[in-house]
Amino acid sequence: MADFAAPPDLLFNRERVTDPTAYAEQVGCASWLSLTGPEFAAMEGGMSYEQVEAAVPESRNVISDPPRVMDLELARQHVAALDALPRPTLVTCRSGPRASATVYMYAGLKAGAAPEDVVAAAERDGAPCAASDELKAWIAYSMSALRNED
């Protein structure tokens, strides 16, 4: 599946979200998966999960931002949350890398795409995760491991 592309109903941020309600309206999402936790909420210009909840009808919070390491358990939680949320769904982290990695991992997993094709698509699309070897490795590892669990 060398022509893999992230689906248009899974969105991710590419920069810090400063106004959650306005951003949700701008991208037209029905739901939101927030990957940020209390550390980000406490930062100047940060965003709390309560702001996310106020911005959309349905949301989930799977705290995945630093100092947490993206691992297989987080991938499982991301998949479960995205399976439960209506589309279109917005996925956000502080500035986009972890959110985009989550979108590409999930979409590739659901499409049955090869991990290398998913990573190549993220690179081709200029997704924020493509700048991180660690996140690209997480995408590939998580997809392979989750498929082996089925």
Side-chain angles (χ1 to χ4, degrees):
M1 184 176 288
D3 59 346
F4 171 80
D9 62 352
L10 286 175
L11 314 163
F12 56 85
N13 63 315
R14 292 180 176 270
E15 58 188 24
R16 188 175 283 202
V17 176
T18 57
D19 182 340
T21 300
Y23 193 71
E25 290 173 8
Q26 175 189 344
V27 300
C29 62
S31 65
W32 192 326
L33 172 58
S34 174
L35 304 182
T36 56
E39 297 89 355
F40 185 56
M43 291 179 179
E44 184 175 332
M47 177 178 63
S48 71
Y49 182 59
E50 290 75 21
Q51 290 174 291
V52 169
E53 288 179 302
V56 292
E58 286 193 54
S59 62
R60 299 286 187 281
N61 189 210
V62 177
I63 301 172
S64 309
D65 60 348
R68 291 148 199 94
V69 174
M70 293 287 272
D71 61 14
L72 187 57
E73 181 53 34
L74 284 176
R76 286 185 194 104
Q77 291 176 43
H78 296 160
V79 169
L82 288 169
D83 280 348
L85 290 168
R87 303 291 187 261
T89 302
L90 174 61
V91 181
T92 61
C93 62
R94 292 179 187 185
S95 61
R98 290 176 181 226
S100 61
T102 298
V103 165
Y104 279 86
M105 179 276 297
Y106 178 84
L109 183 67
K110 295 300 179 175
E116 59 271 13
D117 292 339
V118 173
V119 170
E123 291 172 335
R124 179 189 66 236
D125 298 343
C129 63
S132 168
D133 290 339
E134 179 182 335
L135 290 174
K136 291 187 291 187
W138 177 80
I139 292 168
Y141 171 74
S142 295
M143 288 179 64
S144 296
L146 291 170
R147 281 196 183 126
N148 287 334
E149 290 179 358
D150 287 341

